[in-house]
Amino acid sequence: MTSIRHSSPETGGTAAPEGTMRAIVQDEYGEADVLRLARVPRPQIGDAEVLVQVHAAGVDRGVWHVMTGLPYLGRLAFGLRRPKNPVLGGDVAGTVVAVGSAVTGFAAGDEVYGWGKGTFAEYAVVPAARLARKPANLSFEQAAVVPVSASTAWQGLHDAGRIQAGQHVLVVGASGGVGSYAVQLAKVAGAEVTGVASTEKLDLVRALGADHVIDYRTQDWADGARRYDLILDIAGNPPLGKLRRALTPTGTAVITGGEDGGSFSGGMNRQLRALALSPFVKQRLTFFLGVVRRRDLERLTELIEAGEVTPSVGASYPLDRAPDAVRDLASGKIRGKASIVV
């Protein structure tokens, strides 16, 4: 049996209560109609995990992929016929209730944020390696929209993109969850930043600090008017040729996401083609899959507490309206990211 250290923020030594909790669950794949509010058993943690009382959860494209089971290739991880974990959600901000026997650095009562399992619920299990202390200057609602999107933006720019001060950087999808952080992080890195978004969201991209904005509905960001040292391609499914036209002769294009790549593999076909082409051209074409790690969260915390990065919460929903949050995300109504307040 897993050994777990329990304590209570109020008493310092009372075992966390057993029982059930409210959660957003799904029994099958589909659109938001498959989601429902239910009462389920409170989850149990392993040696390297933390039980968090959820105060808020973030809504991102990964939630939509798990809900719909798309692309089908993703079901190798999500569950072939139905979701392995019926409780939806990944981003989380809350208070530690209990820690596994192998966990160090966290104790009951700590205010934390990170990525866990089934966070659209009153309690969630979070691997300690994907958890950090919440930035002191953020509310739980603000902190909940940071982990997945900001980590992805950080890794896209720094790990995959190798961003350098003075570069010209293009962020395609600059008004979304990842893009809203990418604009800010690229500016922090000393780059000149151009953000691509829809007409109604250009003001948000400017407010995030972009030096230039492009309305993708009326302007072609690959028309040759400007070339970029680094492109972070988050939204849509632009052809590789279009990305290359917008790059400098030795520039780098980093692809993540891609929602229009087909039901079987999503954007993976284009990403794999980019990786295969890259060795034969002077430009560098690459892709990555973002993962939430404690060290990245701690770097982000420093930037957030210094006022250099600010979460953009476009909308908030109570737990029972989580289906509406996912619908609004899928329809493109959300500016920045949405949060679920528990």
Side-chain angles (χ1 to χ4, degrees), residues 72-96:
Y72 291 117
L73 193 61
R75 298 192 185 191
L76 295 175
F78 308 153
L80 291 178
R81 294 188 174 184
R82 61 183 61 85
K84 292 179 182 178
N85 182 6
V87 182
L88 201 62
D91 273 336
V92 65
T95 304
V96 173

Side-chain angles (χ1 to χ4, degrees), residues 55-300:
H55 298 313
V59 185
D60 65 279
R61 292 298 304 194
V63 166
W64 180 87
H65 286 298
V66 174
M67 180 187 75
T68 59
L70 296 174
Y72 291 117
L73 193 61
R75 298 192 185 191
L76 295 175
F78 308 153
L80 291 178
R81 294 188 174 184
R82 61 183 61 85
K84 292 179 182 178
N85 182 6
V87 182
L88 201 62
D91 273 336
V92 65
T95 304
V96 173
V97 173
V99 299
S101 61
V103 173
T104 59
F106 298 108
D110 288 345
E111 295 184 348
V112 294
Y113 73 145
W115 187 92
K117 307 171 186 175
T119 61
F120 288 7
E122 292 177 313
Y123 296 87
V125 172
V126 184
R130 297 189 177 190
L131 192 68
R133 293 183 182 275
K134 179 180 75 66
N137 59 337
L138 294 188
S139 66
F140 287 108
E141 180 182 353
Q142 291 173 307
V145 304
V146 174
V148 168
S149 295
S151 295
T152 301
W154 176 274
Q155 291 159 24
L157 292 170
H158 288 273
D159 299 347
R162 305 170 190 171
I163 190 171
Q164 297 178 22
Q167 286 187 325
H168 290 242
V169 175
L170 178 72
V171 179
V172 183
S175 63
V178 177
S180 63
Y181 290 107
V183 170
Q184 297 179 78
L185 290 170
K187 287 299 296 179
V188 170
E192 181 176 331
V193 181
T194 300
V196 180
S198 59
T199 311
E200 60 272 16
K201 298 177 182 178
L202 295 180
D203 60 332
L204 169 64
V205 179
R206 290 190 186 96
L208 292 169
D211 299 288
H212 316 280
V213 296
I214 293 176
D215 184 345
Y216 71 81
R217 291 175 179 167
T218 61
Q219 299 170 272
D220 180 7
W221 46 262
D223 62 2
R226 185 187 299 267
R227 293 186 183 275
Y228 303 92
D229 303 295
L230 172 60
I231 298 175
L232 184 59
D233 174 22
I234 305 161
N237 196 37
L240 296 182
K242 182 172 184 176
L243 288 174
R244 294 191 61 204
R245 287 197 304 274
L247 282 175
T248 60
T250 57
T252 296
V254 178
I255 303 171
T256 186
E259 307 304 330
D260 303 319
S263 297
F264 178 74
S265 60
M268 288 302 296
N269 284 338
R270 183 174 63 116
Q271 295 171 6
L272 292 174
R273 290 199 307 272
L275 204 61
L277 175 62
S278 188
F280 302 100
V281 297
K282 292 182 179 180
Q283 295 162 325
R284 181 168 165 265
L285 311 174
T286 188
F287 78 95
F288 77 105
L289 299 174
V291 61
V292 177
R293 303 177 296 216
R294 184 189 297 184
R295 67 176 182 269
D296 292 339
L297 290 175
E298 290 173 343
R299 291 183 184 127
L300 291 165

